[in-house]
Amino acid sequence: MAGRIRDADVALVRERSPIADVVSEHVQLRPAGRNELVGLCPFHEEKSPSFYVNVATGLFHCFGCQQGGDVYSFIREIDGLSFREAAERLARRAGVTLTFEGGGTTDRTVSSQRQRLLEAHRIAAEFYAEQLGAHPSARAGWDFLTARGFDLTAAQRFGVGYAPTGWDTLTRHLLSRRFTGEELVLGGLSKQGARGGLIDRFHHRLMWPIRDLASEVVGFGGRRLAEDGTPNAGPKYLNTPETPLFKKASLLYGAELARRDIARRYQVVVVEGYTDVMACHLAGVTTAVATCGTAFGPEHVAVVRRLLMDSDERRGEVIFTFDGDAAGQKAALRAFEHEERFATQTFVAVEPAGLDPCELWMRGGDAAVRELVARRVPLVEFAIRGVLGRYDLDTTEGRLAALDAAAPLINRIKDAGLRHGYAVNLDRWLGFLDERFVARRVAEHRAQQAGGRPAAVASAVGRREPAAADPVVIVEREALKLAVQFPGLAGPMFDTLAPEMFTVPAHRAVRELIAGLGGVGGGLARTGDVAAWVTELSAAATEEGLRRFVTALAVERVLCDHDVDDRYVDEQMSRVQELHVTRRITDLKSRVQRLNPVTDAEAFNRAYGELIALEQHKHQLRERGVGAA
């Protein structure tokens, strides 16, 4: 068993893995300052972005859930990996071969289980793609593709392949590449046959590789090609089972292809099948994604919101496409169950004739698919109209029953203005011609739904709390941020600040931590750059809360509307000193007030002289700092 990874390799992988690039594979980030990027936290649900990345320090921090750290910490947390597994994943991404103390490299047999499974899936995807062009039975797959308008270029673009008819063709291929049978079963590529041996999970199927947001193949979706009643052909669509890599509840097919355009267009189009994703992308709707053998659920919502950077600004849109039949209506209502989880607007695009995007593309071409998306209607409206369609609206009884059935949907709308607007629309759709009656009836249902339950309290979790209004807190924190993020500029002055000048306990703890490392100047001389300085600080913070606070200081934006320079540093350090002097002046004035200038003349004169000197010093500090009146 190989030992620990060499420190030099750990540092090299970190250097070649810019944190913004790695995080952007999972979270949509937008600029928030000179070195800061912001997005929705992937570790907890939130409405407003509180997840910050600092490209200069190489750290991230969420001001909502307090998760933070470097690029290794992010990969470990996002994928539930050990440090070694995270290092191997990043090393592979960066093209670095890790060397272990005691012998061994990642080119040999020291790879983690996850890395082995990813490699097996990569080879399997290549194998399936080769079989589509070489295996005699693959003609059925080509017939399927060409009948839907897809050519060789399209198949290659989406990595489409073919699982051969043989029982263990892929299994034997992977075993020859030194993967074990246990690994192949664990990864869902093979399974136990009736006679006890290993066989392929997929047979005579058209295969779509399913990738995570980092573009790693983690599973497959296979479409049955035997349509002649062949025994044991299995379901029409078969996906990889749940594995350490494949978690269908949080995977979206095509997301790795769509994520950049999703960020650019503020749009996600959710379709139902793999061919629908292909058709949409080829038609120019490059924001299309699909679920992988399961209904759209809460974990998919979280992925979409991170890709869209869905926040309270409500400028984006999520568009669901469903068939116009009863199943499509049911799917729309399921999607509506998650509508309130989005801050942005949700829509439905339905083709009147019941065609899915792929069928529509085959018949009408690119323009027809783009027009389908353009004709979207609000999901709330679609869901309400679907409910109304169940009732006979030609009778008063039917209209009243429809109103009562639609009211709970309207009452789920968070925005009071929208609720009222849809109540007015409901009156028009039902034909009562009495807006007050309909609005009152909807409101009565809302009161019944509340049912005496305590009113919901808006949660502040996930919202970045502003800095405390106390100017002392702001000034002290700003000085610490400068010492952490700009040690070359801040070091000389910061190191002259005594720990007692910091009144907040957490601030003083960081100041003492820095002092224990020989000050900013000593640490920077030893480490050589900002990222290494921050890493040393974090490592020296043995208490978890202090370590998280150091990370926050390394990520949080400096309160400067221009590039940080010597003058700004001088101003902030002078303000820390000024506030400290002000507190000393206040204490000394209190003391002078208690002294009798006649009976305590010597003590009074000494204290008064010290007070004058402090006032002069304070004036000088104000002249240097932005605290000047």
Side-chain angles (χ1 to χ4, degrees):
M1 184 69 181
R4 63 192 295 271
I5 302 169
R6 290 195 316 165
D7 291 342
D9 288 353
V10 171
L12 179 61
V13 170
R14 183 186 288 112
E15 178 185 333
R16 295 188 182 179
S17 304
I19 192 165
D21 293 349
V22 174
V23 172
S24 292
E25 294 174 355
H26 303 270
V27 179
Q28 175 55 39
L29 298 172
R30 301 202 186 285
R34 182 178 176 223
N35 292 317
E36 297 82 23
L37 302 167
V38 63
L40 288 171
C41 181
F43 306 122
H44 80 286
E45 190 171 334
E46 60 181 1
K47 290 296 185 183
S48 300
S50 62
F51 180 89
Y52 282 73
V53 171
N54 188 298
V55 297
T57 60
L59 297 174
F60 75 92
H61 186 80
C62 175
F63 291 88
C65 68
Q66 306 306 312
Q67 286 283 359
D70 63 2
V71 68
Y72 288 105
S73 302
F74 180 81
I75 289 297
R76 291 186 65 181
E77 195 67 32
I78 199 76
D79 287 323
L81 307 179
S82 67
F83 177 82
R84 177 175 143 181
E85 289 172 328
E88 288 176 347
R89 176 164 183 175
L90 290 171
R92 180 180 175 185
R93 180 185 180 281
V96 175
T97 298
L98 297 177
T99 303
F100 294 81
E101 294 180 356
T105 71
T106 49
D107 285 341
R108 298 190 209 164
T109 59
V110 296
S111 291
S112 67
Q113 180 188 85
R114 179 182 176 87
Q115 201 63 41
R116 295 273 298 171
L117 294 181
L118 287 172
E119 182 66 10
H121 278 75
R122 183 188 66 79
I123 294 172
E126 293 176 350
F127 174 82
Y128 287 141
E130 291 171 359
Q131 296 302 304
L132 183 62
H135 200 284
S137 299
R139 171 50 54 187
W142 278 115
D143 290 344
F144 178 92
L145 290 171
T146 55
R148 286 156 180 77
F150 302 122
D151 58 14
L152 176 61
T153 301
Q156 291 175 338
R157 175 176 173 178
F158 293 93
V160 182
Y162 171 70
T165 51
W167 284 108
D168 60 353
T169 313
L170 174 67
T171 299
R172 285 187 287 106
H173 177 69
L174 291 174
L175 289 174
S176 72
R177 300 291 292 268
R178 299 187 178 181
F179 292 99
T180 67
E182 291 79 7
E183 288 172 332
L184 302 187
V185 172
L186 182 63
L189 296 167
S190 304
K191 62 180 182 179
Q192 293 291 334
R195 298 180 180 178
L198 285 185
I199 61 174
D200 298 345
R201 180 170 293 277
F202 300 97
H203 306 272
H204 194 45
R205 288 178 179 271
L206 203 59
M207 302 295 291
W208 282 266
I210 299 170
R211 301 174 183 272
D212 62 15
L213 291 174
S215 296
E216 299 272 17
V217 179
V218 295
F220 295 91
R223 206 281 187 188
R224 187 184 67 207
L225 295 173
E227 298 291 357
D228 55 0
T230 302
N232 303 319
K236 179 180 289 189
Y237 281 95
L238 179 67
N239 291 298
T240 296
E242 292 287 302
T243 73
L245 299 182
F246 191 80
K247 309 294 183 184
K248 63 183 179 181
S250 59
L251 285 168
L252 289 168
Y253 175 73
E256 83 286 354
L257 298 174
R259 62 187 183 92
R260 296 193 185 280
D261 282 346
I262 288 172
R264 184 168 59 87
R265 299 184 184 181
Y266 300 102
Q267 179 194 77
V268 178
V269 177
V270 182
V271 299
E272 294 191 305
Y274 305 135
T275 56
D276 293 331
V277 171
M278 293 176 68
C280 284
H281 279 253
L282 293 173
V285 182
T286 53
T287 57
V289 298
T291 57
C292 302
T294 186
F296 191 86
E299 292 182 63
H300 294 124
V301 173
V303 174
V304 168
R305 292 194 67 235
R306 292 203 305 270
L307 291 172
L308 196 61
M309 202 170 129
D310 176 32
S311 67
D312 293 330
E313 297 173 359
R314 297 179 66 87
R315 59 181 173 179
E317 55 184 24
V318 179
I319 304 170
F320 296 92
T321 64
F322 300 112
D323 296 344
D325 56 13
Q329 293 281 348
K330 187 176 181 180
L333 287 176
R334 283 200 305 267
F336 186 69
E337 292 292 317
H338 307 295
E339 192 275 338
E340 62 187 13
R341 293 176 178 268
F342 289 104
T344 194
Q345 296 175 287
T346 54
F347 297 87
V348 172
V350 176
E351 206 285 317
L355 302 177
D356 61 37
C358 184
E359 294 169 332
L360 183 62
W361 181 66
M362 291 163 54
R363 296 190 187 185
D366 298 352
V369 177
R370 293 196 294 266
E371 179 64 22
L372 170 68
V373 174
R375 289 199 314 265
R376 64 200 181 280
V377 297
L379 178 57
V380 175
E381 177 181 335
F382 184 82
I384 292 172
R385 286 185 177 274
V387 169
L388 300 186
R390 303 172 190 167
Y391 298 88
D392 181 2
L393 303 184
D394 292 330
T395 67
T396 300
E397 293 82 359
R399 290 198 298 273
L400 191 58
L403 191 164
D404 291 338
L409 298 183
I410 293 177
N411 283 324
R412 290 184 57 181
I413 300 173
K414 301 181 290 293
D415 186 271
L418 277 178
R419 279 200 309 273
H420 177 74
Y422 274 104
V424 171
N425 289 342
L426 183 60
D427 174 60
R428 187 176 75 252
W429 295 334
L430 292 173
F432 278 109
L433 303 181
D434 189 342
E435 293 178 3
R436 290 186 177 181
F437 165 72
V438 172
R440 185 169 61 251
R441 187 88 170 190
V442 170
E444 289 171 357
H445 275 274
R446 185 172 180 81
Q448 291 171 7
Q449 285 175 258
R453 292 176 307 207
V457 178
S459 172
V461 174
R463 185 175 304 160
R464 186 183 183 188
E465 295 296 335
D470 186 347
V472 175
V473 176
I474 297 173
V475 170
E476 290 181 9
R477 192 178 182 106
E478 191 72 357
L480 291 172
K481 285 189 288 184
L482 291 171
V484 174
Q485 297 181 32
F486 300 91
L489 289 173
M493 282 201 65
F494 182 86
D495 287 343
T496 66
L497 304 181
E500 58 266 22
M501 292 185 177
F502 293 85
T503 60
V504 179
H507 297 175
R508 187 180 300 115
V510 175
R511 177 65 188 95
E512 291 171 347
L513 178 69
I514 292 174
L517 292 173
V520 175
L524 187 60
R526 190 166 53 252
T527 58
D529 61 36
V530 176
W533 161 237
V534 174
T535 299
E536 183 176 60
L537 267 179
S538 299
T542 55
E543 198 271 320
E544 179 64 23
L546 181 59
R547 185 159 52 248
R548 289 180 182 272
F549 186 51
V550 168
T551 300
L553 292 171
V555 172
E556 187 174 333
R557 184 180 181 183
V558 173
L559 303 177
C560 180
D561 57 5
H562 55 78
D563 289 348
V564 174
D565 53 18
D566 290 330
R567 180 174 179 180
Y568 184 74
V569 171
D570 190 33
E571 289 171 349
Q572 300 310 308
M573 303 305 165
S574 296
R575 293 185 70 193
V576 173
Q577 296 180 63
E578 179 198 340
L579 289 170
H580 177 64
V581 170
T582 299
R583 291 190 294 273
R584 289 180 59 193
I585 289 173
T586 301
D587 292 341
L588 198 53
K589 283 183 176 179
S590 176
R591 181 184 171 195
V592 168
Q593 289 292 326
R594 295 192 301 271
L595 293 172
N596 187 316
V598 177
T599 59
D600 302 314
E602 184 178 352
F604 179 88
N605 290 333
R606 187 167 57 250
Y608 191 76
E610 186 179 351
L611 182 60
I612 295 298
L614 284 174
E615 290 282 9
Q616 291 175 342
H617 185 39
K618 178 179 177 180
H619 178 73
Q620 293 170 351
L621 291 171
R622 280 198 171 186
E623 289 294 319
R624 289 170 50 190
V626 293

